Amino acid sequence: MAKRSISCFLLVLVSLLAVALAEATTEPPAVYIFGDSTLDVGTNNYIPECLAKADFYFNGIDFPYSEPTGRFSNGLNTADEIVRLLGLRRSPPPFLQLVNDPLTFRKNILKGANFASGGSGILNSTGQHQYIRVISMGDQIQQFSTVRSNITNMTASDAATDAILSKAFFLISVGSNDIFEYLLNITRPPMTVPEFNATLVSTYEYHLKTLYELGARKLGILTVPPIGCTPIARARANGNCSEPAQRFAQAFYTEAVALLEKLSSQVPDLRYSLANTYLMTTGMMENMFAFGLRDITSACCGDGTYACNQTASFCSNRDEYLFWDQFHPTQRVSELAALTLFGGSESFVAPMNFSQLLGVNI
């Protein structure tokens, strides 16, 4: 049964690869993006005191003109690959970039914005000790409320704003940093495991409800990947995957399933796609050669214990690596993940994939 599931998974990916760049049959929706470094396209560049940045080499070596943009990747990241499949030529820019250009702010926000901040988490405290300052999920949503207010100023009607936002796509990837910090005893105030889990889930529920109240009706949610098998986690576990981190990641998905089922029963007009990012990634790891991967344990840039930088060594065969740096996937793996999000079965994305949620063909 497992082999059959993986075979179907591979068949879907091969089919999607052949048509991935075809034009969408309808105009792409506005896309509003929230979360952490998985989706950050340069937010932290605009936070002078932030220490979680990727706006330097060798980050971006495969981006056009080898430009380090602030993405924690050798090229495009998961946000980029997802919006490409929607028919957009480029990702919505960081909100903090748009806000600095008031002449085009209103025009651009109707197409979307990226609020994701590397190092951030569900909890307001996550990342604030390690990286001095990041934009938490709660603060990202507050920024989006500013976007909504500006749209309402243009439409002169809350109902008209609701109609516009009901067609938009809200993409979220968050939770990994919260778990990492808890396991490293950085979380403040200190909590027991049950206290931490309860706080994380209740805070996430609050954030999702707030987004709904602000007009979000179509959610695409990425859960926590197998963070215990990242290069930095392996370095701290003698080359093995960290089992505590793996258990937390799996538990997060289980909690997210229950949470989204609860929310959708309370607000029937909410539609969502929930990605089992843990299963998607372990599927690639267990069938690495089928996906063209040759290294699923090492960082391509650096030795896996520190962030990629201009003094680090880096691999030449980047498409064959799962990890770009100590945490993040390569551009190639982000592309494979996006294809799965749009074409995967319910075992990977439930209760519907992104194509079904958004009514797009790729």
Side-chain angles (χ1 to χ4, degrees):
M1 182 63 72
K3 289 184 178 179
R4 182 180 299 176
S5 176
I6 292 297
S7 297
C8 292
F9 179 37
L10 292 173
L11 182 61
V12 167
L13 287 182
V14 170
S15 300
L16 287 170
L17 278 167
V19 296
L21 298 179
E23 292 185 355
T25 56
T26 57
E27 183 178 348
V31 184
Y32 299 100
I33 300 170
F34 305 81
D36 54 30
S37 53
T38 309
L39 304 178
D40 185 350
V41 296
T43 292
N44 288 2
N45 297 353
Y46 298 90
I47 310 173
E49 63 271 38
C50 178
L51 298 181
K53 292 185 177 180
D55 56 342
F56 44 80
Y57 294 113
F58 290 102
N59 295 298
I61 191 170
D62 295 313
F63 200 81
Y65 308 107
S66 295
E67 179 184 2
T69 60
R71 291 164 172 81
F72 296 80
S73 172
N74 57 303
L76 302 178
N77 68 10
T78 304
D80 298 309
E81 298 291 359
I82 288 171
V83 301
R84 285 181 73 192
L85 293 178
L86 284 174
L88 295 170
R89 291 187 176 181
R90 62 182 64 184
S91 283
F95 169 80
L96 293 181
Q97 175 185 329
L98 293 174
V99 131
N100 288 332
D101 188 2
L103 292 178
T104 60
F105 177 69
R106 288 192 172 188
K107 175 183 177 181
N108 286 328
I109 60 173
L110 288 172
K111 300 176 183 177
N114 189 313
F115 306 88
S117 174
S120 68
I122 294 169
L123 304 179
N124 288 337
S125 61
T126 297
Q128 310 300 344
H129 302 284
Q130 274 191 296
Y131 306 118
I132 309 302
R133 183 173 175 236
V134 295
I135 310 298
S136 68
M137 181 74 176
D139 286 342
Q140 292 174 36
I141 294 171
Q142 284 300 310
Q143 290 176 340
F144 174 71
S145 71
T146 302
V147 169
R148 180 188 166 90
S149 295
N150 276 270
I151 294 175
T152 302
N153 288 339
M154 286 186 277
T155 63
S157 164
D158 274 326
T161 300
D162 287 337
I164 290 170
L165 293 178
S166 69
K167 300 174 184 177
F169 180 43
F170 291 77
L171 177 63
I172 303 167
S173 177
V174 71
S176 296
N177 292 318
D178 300 283
I179 295 171
F180 267 129
E181 291 205 355
Y182 181 77
L183 291 173
L184 292 173
N185 295 316
I186 297 174
T187 301
R188 296 291 182 270
M191 291 179 266
T192 64
V193 171
E195 287 172 341
F196 172 73
N197 285 333
T199 302
L200 198 64
V201 172
S202 63
T203 307
Y204 199 27
E205 179 177 9
Y206 174 78
H207 291 330
L208 295 180
K209 283 183 175 179
T210 303
L211 274 177
Y212 176 84
E213 291 166 0
L214 290 171
R217 293 298 182 269
K218 296 178 182 178
L219 305 180
I221 298 178
L222 281 61
T223 52
V224 176
I227 56 175
C229 293
T230 55
I232 196 165
R234 287 180 183 272
R236 292 167 175 166
N238 297 316
N240 301 311
C241 293
S242 166
E243 289 306 318
Q246 294 291 80
R247 288 194 294 270
F248 266 104
Q250 290 173 296
F252 185 87
Y253 175 73
T254 302
E255 294 285 0
V257 170
L259 174 57
L260 268 297
E261 288 177 349
K262 173 185 173 183
L263 288 179
S264 62
S265 70
Q266 295 171 345
V267 283
D269 59 339
L270 176 68
R271 302 180 70 223
Y272 68 91
S273 296
L274 181 66
N276 188 340
T277 318
Y278 187 96
L279 184 62
M280 286 167 50
T281 309
T282 54
M284 292 185 200
M285 295 168 68
E286 292 167 2
N287 299 273
M288 54 186 284
F289 297 117
F291 291 97
L293 302 176
R294 294 294 181 271
D295 192 319
I296 59 170
T297 61
S298 309
C300 171
C301 184
D303 68 1
T305 63
Y306 57 86
C308 177
N309 60 64
Q310 56 267 49
T311 66
S313 61
F314 65 95
C315 65
S316 59
N317 53 335
R318 293 179 283 280
D319 284 354
E320 297 179 354
Y321 273 68
L322 177 62
F323 294 104
W324 164 240
D325 59 14
Q326 80 275 41
F327 293 119
H328 306 99
T330 57
Q331 173 178 276
R332 174 59 177 158
V333 169
S334 290
E335 179 187 13
L336 291 170
L339 289 166
T340 307
L341 292 169
F342 276 85
S345 65
E346 280 195 39
S347 59
F348 299 106
V349 199
M352 65 190 83
N353 61 38
F354 284 15
S355 289
Q356 295 163 334
L357 174 70
L358 300 170
V360 298
N361 297 313
I362 60 171

